[in-house]
Amino acid sequence: MGEAQPLRLDVDGYDNVTQALRDLFDSYPGLAKGETFGFSEIPECGGKSVFTDTGATIYTESESITGHITQMCQYPLTVVFRTAGLSENKKAAAKEWLDNFGRWLERQEVTIDGEAYKLKDYPPLAGNRKIKSISRQTPAFLSQVNDDKTEDWVMSINARYRNEFDTF
């Protein structure tokens, strides 16, 4: 049995969910002071960025006899960590950084510089949308080595959220 195909895009939720996820990613305690994630672009020399795959999509939708709509939605993303001059140990560290980021998004405890961190809650969304889970779809892996010898380490994640509203 194959994976369900999306019903349609959650156009109204896209901007709100995107901004909430960007804010969440930028709050990761493993980022260097002043460091943030880019969105859909990454400097040639290196950095961290998030790219949307399909945007926010509605996967299931149900309507009660009173006109209450419940939609289950998902927002797949690809996280890219571009870095240069990697020795074998630095490659392992880049992979570990991304894997820890994924664990943190899944609300698992991670240790950064000897201190334990655990994400308590996902950020609130506008309206009646609520993030239910964020999960890794792949482990971190080396995607490509660029002409300038920088390397792109990537990880696919999926944010799932619920949207509820009344039609009457």
Side-chain angles (χ1 to χ4, degrees):
M1 186 172 184
E3 188 174 315
Q5 295 298 307
L7 299 174
R8 63 185 177 282
L9 295 177
D10 180 20
V11 176
D12 292 335
Y14 176 80
D15 288 339
N16 178 253
V17 175
T18 299
Q19 190 58 54
L21 290 174
R22 290 182 71 190
D23 292 344
L24 175 64
F25 297 166
D26 287 345
S27 73
Y28 178 55
L31 288 171
K33 186 176 175 101
E35 184 180 21
T36 60
F37 279 87
F39 184 73
S40 296
E41 65 179 20
I42 191 164
E44 286 184 28
C45 61
K48 297 168 183 76
S49 189
V50 179
F51 294 82
T52 62
D53 294 342
T54 60
T57 56
I58 301 166
Y59 266 79
T60 64
E61 182 175 84
S62 61
E63 182 175 0
S64 72
I65 58 171
T66 62
H68 184 78
I69 306 284
T70 301
Q71 298 172 330
M72 292 307 297
C73 307
Q74 67 179 13
Y75 192 128
L77 300 149
T78 301
V79 180
V80 178
F81 179 175
R82 179 173 289 164
T83 188
L86 296 182
S87 65
E88 193 171 308
N89 287 340
K90 287 183 179 178
K91 288 176 190 236
K95 179 183 178 353
E96 181 180 357
W97 191 97
L98 274 175
D99 285 335
N100 274 340
F101 178 62
R103 284 184 202 97
W104 181 78
L105 289 172
E106 293 172 335
R107 298 193 296 190
Q108 297 180 44
E109 187 173 290
V110 296
T111 302
I112 300 166
D113 296 329
E115 191 169 338
Y117 295 91
K118 186 174 182 180
L119 177 63
K120 289 178 74 173
D121 297 307
Y122 293 122
L125 302 174
N128 292 316
R129 287 177 178 82
K130 181 176 179 165
I131 296 174
K132 303 304 286 178
S133 68
I134 300 176
S135 59
R136 292 173 285 172
Q137 304 302 294
T138 65
F141 64 94
L142 177 60
S143 173
Q144 67 183 20
V145 177
N146 303 302
D147 291 341
D148 63 358
K149 302 298 182 209
T150 57
E151 296 181 357
D152 290 347
W153 289 81
V154 301
M155 175 179 61
S156 296
I157 61 171
N158 192 27
R160 290 188 171 87
Y161 64 97
R162 182 181 63 229
N163 182 31
E164 294 188 66
F165 58 94
D166 294 310
T167 58
F168 301 121

